Amino acid sequence: METDLRHALDRHELELYYQPKIHLASGKIAGIEALIRWNHPEKGLISPDAFIPLAEETGLILPIGKWVIQEACRQTRAWQKAGMTDLQVSVNVSTQQVQPYTLMESIVGALTESGLASESLVVELTESMAMDDPELKIELLNKIKASGVCFSVDDFGTGYSSLSYLQRLPITELKIDRSFIIDLPDNKDGGAIVSAIVAMAHSLGLKVVAEGIETQAQLDFMRTVNCDIIQGYFYSKPLNKKDFEIYAATL
């Protein structure tokens, strides 16, 4: 698999899928999250869970991660030109990418090449990643944020965030981890945590995204706590380029 993965970029076997993020109040698309898939010539479509750990172990995550940012920016700009003028794209980055030169170079290059406005790009870091050497992260992200790029903390609630650091990170969004969503509204403790996260985020001026919404009951609960944005199979699974265009046309 490592040998195949080394050739996957050159052979154009990697593909981005896009999962819509929906404004809870309006039901309109708030943005998309770009998610990588590998079209293996023999094994078919491979999810990132099966190859991203290998890419991180071997260092291949750097060229792959750079390609993801480039392709996400290119495609989003193409959709903006086609009429989805306010479309914003989120991309996930790995720990190896979040280095002073590496991340800055990847982002600046992708934005310049694609012509995408910096505010149309959201970079997602996991909570544990953001809290690993937080002073370095704060300095790096502030430099990139100065260009207008947005940052989001993914999987929020699963780590051990220091609120003093959290308020210093130049983020615009928190994404509540799906583990808190799955048993809603029956899980009272989980519901209390979700409600507290939303209230805290709003008090800091941050938007809140709930991941993993799959049922009407979960959606209704997130509405009661004034969540901003919903993402999950209730609205749509991740879609390839063609299917996303069809989906977007229906909203």
Side-chain angles (χ1 to χ4, degrees):
M1 183 175 280
E2 179 182 345
T3 301
D4 288 349
L5 189 56
R6 288 186 181 278
H7 297 294
L9 266 177
D10 294 335
R11 295 172 178 170
H12 306 290
E13 294 171 3
L14 299 180
E15 180 181 0
L16 291 187
Y17 275 48
Y18 303 89
Q19 187 169 34
K21 298 164 65 178
I22 305 296
H23 278 298
L24 187 52
S26 67
K28 301 297 183 181
I29 293 177
I32 49 176
E33 181 177 359
L35 300 162
I36 192 169
R37 299 290 186 268
W38 180 10
N39 283 308
H40 193 281
E42 298 173 359
K43 299 176 181 178
L45 201 64
I46 302 177
S47 74
D49 292 342
F51 69 89
I52 289 299
L54 176 63
E56 292 178 331
E57 179 184 336
T58 59
L60 290 171
I61 193 64
L62 293 178
I64 290 174
K66 184 176 182 179
W67 175 83
V68 168
I69 297 173
Q70 290 174 331
E71 179 61 15
C73 289
R74 184 201 65 78
Q75 183 58 70
T76 301
R77 182 58 184 144
W79 279 327
Q80 288 179 345
K81 289 180 177 179
M84 289 184 269
T85 54
D86 297 326
L87 191 64
Q88 193 177 52
V89 64
S90 300
V91 295
N92 300 280
V93 293
S94 75
T95 299
Q96 294 179 44
Q97 289 175 270
V98 187
Q99 304 300 326
Y101 176 76
T102 303
L103 187 59
M104 178 77 82
E105 186 269 339
S106 295
I107 290 173
V108 171
L111 293 174
T112 301
E113 183 179 328
S114 65
L116 186 72
S118 55
E119 60 268 20
S120 295
L121 176 63
V122 180
V123 177
E124 295 191 6
L125 304 88
T126 64
E127 181 182 9
S128 58
M129 191 189 307
M131 290 300 108
D132 179 26
D133 197 353
E135 291 293 347
L136 176 64
K137 297 297 192 305
I138 290 168
E139 181 181 1
L140 172 60
L141 300 191
N142 272 314
K143 288 180 179 178
I144 299 174
K145 180 68 164 55
S147 69
V149 173
C150 302
F151 287 96
S152 173
V153 173
D154 196 8
D155 299 338
F156 188 78
T158 60
Y160 299 94
S161 291
S162 164
L163 295 183
S164 64
Y165 282 122
L166 182 65
Q167 68 177 349
R168 292 173 57 198
L169 286 168
I171 58 176
T172 59
E173 177 184 279
L174 289 184
K175 298 186 76 174
I176 302 174
D177 187 72
R178 67 183 67 238
S179 63
F180 295 108
I181 305 295
I182 190 169
D183 293 327
L184 293 179
D186 297 329
N187 186 332
K188 302 303 180 184
D189 291 338
I193 291 172
V194 168
S195 179
I197 290 174
V198 173
M200 179 196 68
H202 285 169
S203 70
L204 294 173
L206 305 176
K207 294 182 295 184
V208 182
V209 180
E211 293 188 283
I213 299 296
E214 298 182 355
T215 69
Q216 183 67 52
Q218 291 169 343
L219 182 71
D220 292 340
F221 180 87
M222 298 314 300
R223 185 172 279 114
T224 65
V225 298
N226 297 316
C227 184
D228 302 294
I229 297 170
I230 299 299
Q231 185 176 352
Y233 278 36
F234 182 83
Y235 280 103
S236 174
K237 64 182 181 180
L239 304 168
N240 62 27
K241 174 182 177 292
K242 180 179 178 181
D243 288 341
F244 173 72
E245 291 170 351
I246 294 171
Y247 176 86
T250 66
L251 297 181

